[in-house]
Amino acid sequence: MTFGCLMDDHGVGGEQLEGGKKDPRFPQWKATTDRLLVEIGDIYEYELLSKGLGPPKDPHEYLASPELEDPRYFDTYRYAQYKVALKYLDCDVRRNDYFARIGRKTYELLRNQISKFGANSDPEDLRNMREWMSETLNSLKAFGLVKDIGTTWPKKTYDKWDEDSSASFELWMREPIMFNSTLRVFQENKVKGADLISRVIQQHFNGYLVELKEKKFDPTKFIDEKLVKIKFTLEGLL
């Protein structure tokens, strides 16, 4: 998914192929794919060895089991993908679009896993927003992306929402397995917005025409913490 979101950038993969291998642009697209997989694989292999982990089964192919199911390997591979992506996405707009695409596709995947998904898209119904955000967060936990996850809301949240369509809350995550890649991206490139779970929540509220904003968040404050906390504000757009 992360790799596909990079290829979706017009400056990297170009326009979407039509007809798969029959598209006359396929050879160039395949050459780009192979080159990027080699770059990602080289970084992935180097990072694993630097951590004292065993070498990858095949560093120049898409991540597969059993490495895919090991949080240490999974997060290391995601970091390698991010590092290569940021090399080619040379401006804030393209980088923001890249991380937003990852969040959108992940959210769509999670939503499809929730039976009878009941988000009603009503921009005034904060209770429905919270209920189905909780279901989405539980799906993240079920996928093994976090050990535990939840939110904390101030008292009289609904009164404030009814008054001016604004609210705030805190997201807490216990042992998010991809946080190390987010932290390193921030440290090395000063790139904000790389946290997958924040992007997933953003997509959730977009469906209600509600804007989610992340308050000043410094990932480096949680280097040695198993519990990560991020504060957000909500504002209705209608």
Side-chain angles (χ1 to χ4, degrees), residues 124-131 153 157-158 161 167 234:
E124 297 182 0
D125 193 348
L126 183 59
R127 286 178 172 82
N128 186 267
M129 298 180 211
R130 289 183 59 177
E131 176 185 355
W153 298 73
T157 289
Y158 294 117
W161 184 258
L234 295 175

Side-chain angles (χ1 to χ4, degrees), residues 26-39:
F26 178 78
Q28 180 180 354
W29 183 90
K30 181 65 166 57
T32 300
T33 298
D34 292 344
R35 172 172 51 80
L36 291 176
L37 284 174
V38 169
E39 291 187 43

Side-chain angles (χ1 to χ4, degrees), residues 50-61:
S50 68
K51 295 178 180 180
L53 298 173
K57 182 178 179 181
D58 191 341
H60 298 151
E61 295 292 338

Side-chain angles (χ1 to χ4, degrees), residues 64-78:
S65 300
E67 295 166 35
L68 182 62
E69 298 159 2
D70 188 316
R72 300 169 301 170
Y73 285 80
F74 184 78
D75 186 58
T76 302
Y77 192 76
R78 178 168 290 269

